[in-house]
């Protein structure tokens, strides 16, 4: 995901993957990204903000412990912008 002086909404609520984890590379400069993920996904935030922010506003998932865990690794940079992570 690359955003410069703009915005992007990425809705992954219907997404699925077979691996245990996937990586999403984000490059945000003077813009914003709204990332909507399923509530049962685990998010590992490796984004480096510089005069920007990464906000994790996910709902707390209280599912079964036997559920298969999915892990989304976020990496990249956020300069003078924002990345907002949500779930519904």
């Amino acid at each position: 995901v690359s955003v410069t002086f703009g915005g992007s909404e990425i809705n992954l609520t219907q997404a699925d993957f077979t691996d245990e984890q996937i990586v999403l590379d984000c490059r945000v400069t003077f813009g914003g990204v709204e990332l909507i993920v399923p509530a049962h996904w685990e998010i590992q935030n490796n984004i480096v903000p510089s005069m920007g922010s990464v906000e994790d506003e996910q709902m707390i998932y209280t599912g079964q412990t036997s559920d298969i865990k999915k892990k989304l690794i976020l990496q990249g940079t956020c300069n003078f912008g924002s990345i907002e992570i949500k779930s519904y």
Side-chain angles (χ1 to χ4, degrees):
V1 176
S2 180
V3 175
T4 304
F5 289 103
S8 179
E9 179 181 309
I10 301 168
N11 188 339
L12 299 174
T13 55
Q14 298 297 313
D16 197 12
F17 50 93
T18 56
D19 295 335
E20 291 182 17
Q21 62 187 23
I22 58 172
V23 177
L24 182 63
D25 189 32
C26 300
R27 307 285 175 197
V28 179
T29 306
F30 291 102
V33 171
E34 183 177 344
L35 182 61
I36 304 168
V37 298
H40 66 279
W41 284 14
E42 178 185 345
I43 306 296
Q44 179 180 329
N45 179 10
N46 295 338
I47 294 177
V48 179
S50 174
M51 303 298 245
S53 67
V54 179
E55 299 176 20
D56 189 351
E57 299 177 354
Q58 283 184 282
M59 295 176 59
I60 297 173
Y61 181 66
T62 58
Q64 301 291 331
T65 56
S66 64
D67 290 345
I68 298 172
K69 293 295 269 182
K70 304 286 184 164
K71 185 175 193 176
L72 174 64
I73 300 172
L74 299 175
Q75 64 185 25
T77 59
C78 182
N79 302 311
F80 298 99
S82 67
I83 298 173
E84 191 174 355
I85 306 162
K86 295 181 177 181
S87 66
Y88 298 113

